[in-house]
């Protein structure tokens, strides 16, 4: 089993290296022709460091070289975005260049001209993608729940998933979250998972709890774990840190809010794969509850929407997918999940999946936006 794992890693790295070499070769061909360069020594070293920057940063993060490692991780994250779009743009660009060369065009046309177009496209994608990632919007949904909620007739919820707080997403973006949620003036705030970007260390070191703790609502602030909290393997420390700022993390638990409705919070689906106990089924979670009251469920991954509908959940909120974060990745998430983003009415269930507030890897969003979700709930009887 260990040898198989090593073989898989080796093959992945081999393919990754091959793709990175292909991109680097194109870059050298463009720059050497444009600036009449002859020696590729320094370029090769720089290109190699950029291509492996994220891996180097991860490996060195736990050493005294942490500040340098953080910089490498940032560079490596942006490289992932460059790599994805270079793989999509370069092959057709190479074909066009070969056609121009065969037609008798000069290198200034088929190398510099085509290369300049590729460079311009990449710059536009990165700049626009960065703006999409760092400029959140508020997206509003209005739903009706056909159950009484005691004296409560309406409920205003602010929801933000996938903050991914860490080395890249930090206090500056968190302040935007606080500002946007304050605009909503919610009764209740929900954070359905991936609050951390794996490691809790930068969250603690940069005192992000001081900003996150500004989130306040009359009916409270509630969260659940996402897969990245389990990747970091610091779930108990995470729950303690959240509790210290008044955010309750529901771990296969429910909470009766204002004697009006239940919040049901599930552990993430990934929990069983990281040495933690598996999670309860939706049916087992809600069995002890008075199901005549509205049931609102937080479940990080939108993988159990059908079961939520079957079990009488009224509203489910999820994230995880990022809506692919960078198109055309959304074509993959649409195939993996019944609902990978937006709103779906399934029976009496109102399912809402957010594209997320933060980002994983590169802080780049193409075809998706950083968002805070505003849900206006009306409880209808009769």
């Amino acid at each position: 089993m260990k040898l198989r794992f090593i073989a898989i890693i080796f093959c992945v790295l081999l393919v990754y290296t091959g793709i990175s070499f292909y991109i680097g070769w194109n870059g050298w061909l463009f720059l050497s022709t444009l600036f009449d360069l002859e020696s590729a020594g320094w370029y090769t070293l720089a290109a190699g460091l950029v291509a492996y920057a994220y891996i180097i940063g991860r490996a060195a993060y736990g050493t005294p070289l942490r500040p340098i490692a953080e910089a490498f991780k940032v560079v490596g994250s942006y490289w992932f975005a460059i790599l994805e779009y270079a793989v999509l743009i370069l092959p057709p660009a190479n074909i066009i260049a070969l056609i121009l060369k065969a037609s008798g065009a000069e290198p200034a046309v088929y190398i510099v001209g085509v290369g300049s177009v590729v460079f311009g496209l990449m710059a536009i994608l990165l700049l626009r993608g960065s703006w999409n990632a760092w400029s959140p919007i508020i997206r509003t949904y209005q739903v009706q729940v056909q159950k009484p909620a005691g004296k409560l007739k309406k409920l205003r919820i602010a929801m933000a998933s996938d903050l991914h707080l860490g080395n890249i997403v930090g206090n500056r973006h968190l302040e935007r979250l606080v500002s946007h949620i304050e605009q909503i003036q919610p009764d209740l705030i929900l954070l359905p998972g991936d609050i951390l970007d794996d490691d809790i260390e930068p969250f603690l070191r940069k005192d992000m709890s001081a900003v996150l703790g500004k989130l306040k609502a009359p009916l409270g602030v509630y969260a659940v774990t996402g897969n990245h909290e389990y990747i970091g393997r610091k779930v108990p420390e995470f729950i303690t840190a959240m509790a210290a700022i008044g955010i309750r993390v529901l771990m296969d638990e429910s909470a009766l809010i204002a004697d009006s409705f239940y919040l049901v919070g599930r552990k993430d689906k990934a929990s069983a794969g990281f040495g933690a106990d598996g999670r309860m089924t939706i049916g087992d979670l809600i069995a002890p509850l008075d199901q005549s009251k509205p049931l609102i469920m937080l479940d990080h991954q939108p993988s159990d929407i059908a079961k939520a509908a079957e079990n009488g959940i009224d509203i489910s909120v999820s994230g995880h997918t990022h809506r692919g974060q960078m198109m055309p990745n959304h074509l993959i998430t649409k195939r993996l999940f019944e609902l990978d983003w937006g709103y779906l009415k399934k029976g009496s269930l109102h399912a809402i999946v957010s594209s997320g507030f933060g980002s994983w890897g590169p802080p780049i969003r193409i075809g998706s936006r950083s968002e805070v979700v505003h849900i206006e709930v009306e409880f209808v009887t009769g």
Side-chain angles (χ1 to χ4, degrees):
M1 193 69 169
K2 189 174 181 180
L3 287 175
R4 183 184 176 188
F5 177 74
I6 293 172
I8 292 171
I9 295 296
F10 176 78
C11 290
V12 169
L13 287 175
L14 192 64
V15 172
Y16 176 80
T17 301
I19 294 172
S20 298
F21 176 83
Y22 168 67
I23 297 169
W25 174 78
N26 273 274
W28 171 249
L29 195 63
F30 173 67
L31 293 174
S32 62
T33 305
L34 181 63
F35 297 110
D36 196 25
L37 303 176
E38 294 183 1
S39 175
W42 285 107
Y43 173 84
T44 302
L45 177 61
L49 286 174
V50 169
Y52 282 91
Y54 192 84
I55 297 172
I56 294 169
R58 292 281 294 190
Y61 190 77
T63 73
L65 298 174
R66 178 180 291 157
I68 298 174
E70 285 185 351
F72 267 84
K73 285 181 71 176
V74 172
V75 170
S77 294
Y78 277 102
W79 169 252
F80 290 152
I82 293 170
L83 183 144
E84 173 163 343
Y85 287 110
V87 166
L88 295 175
I89 295 172
L90 284 177
N94 290 158
I95 292 171
I96 292 170
L98 288 172
I99 293 171
L100 289 172
K101 182 180 180 181
S103 301
E106 296 293 323
V109 175
Y110 70 81
I111 294 179
V112 178
V114 174
S116 296
V117 172
V118 169
F119 182 83
L121 284 173
M122 291 294 294
I124 291 169
L125 285 169
L126 293 178
L127 289 172
R128 178 64 189 188
S130 181
W131 188 85
N132 285 344
W134 297 121
S135 304
I137 60 171
I138 296 174
R139 202 174 302 277
T140 302
Y141 300 95
Q142 295 180 335
V143 303
Q144 286 188 341
V145 173
Q146 303 293 323
K147 285 182 181 179
K151 296 180 179 180
L152 200 62
K153 303 302 178 185
K154 293 186 177 181
L155 176 67
R156 180 175 296 164
I157 301 173
M159 184 267 277
S161 72
D162 303 276
L163 310 188
H164 286 278
L165 301 175
N167 290 312
I168 294 178
V169 181
N171 286 323
R172 196 171 181 179
H173 201 45
L174 256 184
E175 290 285 5
R176 297 186 186 110
L177 174 67
V178 173
S179 174
H180 280 61
I181 287 183
E182 286 177 348
Q183 290 178 44
I184 296 171
Q185 296 183 327
D187 303 308
L188 178 71
I189 299 173
L190 303 179
L191 305 174
D194 278 4
I195 294 171
L196 301 180
D197 191 34
D198 301 352
D199 194 354
I200 198 173
E201 187 276 332
F203 176 84
L204 298 175
R205 174 166 48 86
K206 298 178 182 181
D207 196 23
M208 296 184 200
S209 60
V211 182
L212 190 62
K214 293 179 183 179
L215 295 179
K216 302 293 181 185
L219 298 181
V221 185
Y222 292 84
V224 292
T225 53
N227 54 304
H228 280 266
E229 275 82 36
Y230 287 98
I231 292 172
R233 298 181 184 273
K234 298 288 183 180
V235 171
E237 292 86 342
F238 165 70
I239 294 172
T240 299
M242 292 298 100
I245 55 174
I247 299 176
R248 181 178 172 186
V249 181
L250 297 172
M251 299 286 288
D252 278 354
E253 298 173 274
S254 62
L256 179 60
I257 309 298
D259 199 31
S260 299
F261 62 92
Y262 287 100
L263 277 183
V264 180
R266 303 190 75 190
K267 294 180 183 177
D268 183 63
K269 185 179 179 181
S271 59
F274 287 89
D277 294 333
R279 63 179 184 169
M280 296 170 64
T281 66
I282 297 173
D284 288 342
L285 264 173
I286 68 171
L289 309 183
D290 177 2
Q291 296 176 38
S292 67
K293 295 181 183 294
L295 303 174
I296 301 175
M297 185 176 76
L298 295 83
D299 193 359
H300 176 64
Q301 300 187 41
S303 54
D304 277 350
I305 287 176
K307 291 180 181 177
E310 290 170 7
N311 282 278
I313 299 296
D314 297 293
I315 301 172
S316 69
V317 294
S318 304
H320 182 65
T321 70
H322 295 220
R323 202 190 184 189
Q325 190 165 314
M326 298 184 297
M327 66 181 300
N329 298 338
H330 68 289
L331 299 177
I332 298 173
T333 58
K334 285 183 73 171
R335 291 187 65 86
L336 290 176
F337 300 97
E338 180 179 5
L339 177 67
D340 74 321
W341 174 75
Y343 169 83
L344 174 68
K345 179 75 159 57
K346 194 175 183 70
S348 62
L349 171 69
H350 301 276
I352 296 171
V353 179
S354 173
S355 60
F357 185 79
S359 54
W360 180 87
I364 301 291
R365 284 182 173 270
I366 302 293
S368 70
R369 287 292 299 270
S370 168
E371 67 178 25
V372 175
V373 175
H374 169 198
I375 309 169
E376 288 283 352
V377 185
E378 182 181 5
F379 299 104
V380 180
T381 57

